[in-house]
Amino acid sequence: MRSRLFAGMRREEVETILPCLAGTVQTFAKEDCLLRAGEPAGRMGLLLEGAAQVVQEDYWGRRFLVARIEAGELFGESFACLEGETLPVSVIAAEPCATLLLEGRAVLRPCARACPGHGKLMGNLLEILAVKNTALTRKMEHLTRRTTREKLLSYLSEQARRCGGGRFSIPFTRQELADYLAVDRSAMSRELSRMREDGLCNFAGREFVLREPPAPE
């Protein structure tokens, strides 16, 4: 009920519409594959518990982090809207998790029962797609920066704006952050240390504090 997918819907509406969406609840252990690259793109999932990562692998098996999914968030919805396509990414459990898997066609097309909540559901799905498209645009802004420092400053600045202040927690480990920004972890760790020495930020684990604005390079 707290998911954006069912926003504005009453519990009775959700209970009525779930059977029409061919929903199945499944549990996964850490590192299990919720959706696998190369499979037909026909399903989307709502993460009920735990956390997952959207990853892409290249020809040599190197894994790149695309996004992190938290409980209450949807995954695979963009690809489920494209019938006949295969998944270009995998969704991997970052920790033990439970999901509600839904058939994409059932979500996108009104059912024979004409459930009153289906219109709200499709409207919510469009909003989710718009929000994620915006997030992808923000990520591209980070990745187009020239240096590791510029990528870090761009990402940390965005997190500070989202949290409304210079003290915040990020959702990534160091390796995950390096994968997200497409930089070498060792080089990124060295740059973070230099940024701390330069008085730009302080950090402990996932907790960050931004200091004075950086001077133009």
Side-chain angles (χ1 to χ4, degrees):
M1 293 303 299
R2 293 192 297 270
S3 169
R4 188 189 294 265
L5 183 63
F6 300 114
M9 298 176 64
R10 300 189 306 275
R11 179 175 293 275
E12 311 85 75
E13 290 179 311
V14 175
E15 292 174 345
T16 299
I17 202 173
L18 279 178
C20 302
L21 304 180
T24 57
V25 175
Q26 296 185 24
T27 58
F28 298 87
K30 183 177 180 179
E31 294 297 327
D32 279 356
C33 204
L34 284 60
L35 296 177
R36 189 181 303 276
E39 293 179 343
R43 295 185 299 170
M44 65 181 74
L46 174 64
L47 196 64
L48 303 176
E49 297 176 357
Q53 296 176 344
V54 181
V55 301
Q56 189 168 35
E57 293 185 348
D58 63 13
Y59 180 81
W60 295 275
R62 294 179 299 180
R63 183 178 290 183
F64 301 92
L65 179 62
V66 178
R68 182 179 174 88
I69 309 297
E70 303 288 349
E73 295 182 339
L74 206 61
F75 60 87
E77 69 285 351
S78 297
F79 309 113
C81 294
L82 302 172
E83 292 187 23
E85 296 292 324
T86 56
L87 289 169
V89 298
S90 296
V91 181
I92 309 295
E95 56 189 63
C97 58
T99 66
L100 173 65
L101 294 177
L102 308 170
E103 291 295 331
R105 284 180 293 183
V107 175
L108 294 170
R109 298 173 182 172
C111 61
R113 299 169 58 185
C115 296
H118 213 116
K120 293 180 183 178
L121 186 80
M122 289 190 285
N124 290 340
L125 179 59
L126 285 174
E127 183 178 339
I128 291 171
L129 290 170
V131 169
K132 290 197 173 182
N133 183 62
T134 302
L136 181 60
T137 300
R138 289 198 299 265
K139 180 176 181 179
M140 291 303 299
E141 291 175 358
H142 308 326
L143 296 181
T144 54
R145 306 291 181 172
R146 293 174 300 168
T147 66
T148 298
R149 174 174 288 207
E150 288 175 344
K151 291 180 179 182
L152 284 166
L153 289 173
S154 178
Y155 173 76
L156 295 175
S157 176
E158 180 208 340
Q159 294 300 305
R161 287 196 301 269
R162 292 182 62 186
C163 295
R167 184 183 297 273
F168 52 87
S169 175
I170 67 173
F172 300 131
T173 64
R174 287 292 182 271
Q175 184 61 61
E176 290 169 349
L177 180 59
D179 292 342
Y180 181 79
L181 296 176
V183 297
D184 178 76
R185 176 183 175 178
S186 297
M188 185 193 74
S189 296
R190 288 194 297 270
E191 192 58 52
L192 280 171
S193 296
R194 295 190 189 102
M195 290 167 60
R196 178 159 55 188
E197 292 171 0
D198 292 343
L200 299 178
C201 65
N202 201 359
F203 51 86
R206 302 189 185 196
E207 303 296 324
F208 278 80
V209 179
L210 295 189
R211 302 302 186 188
E212 298 179 2
E217 294 187 0

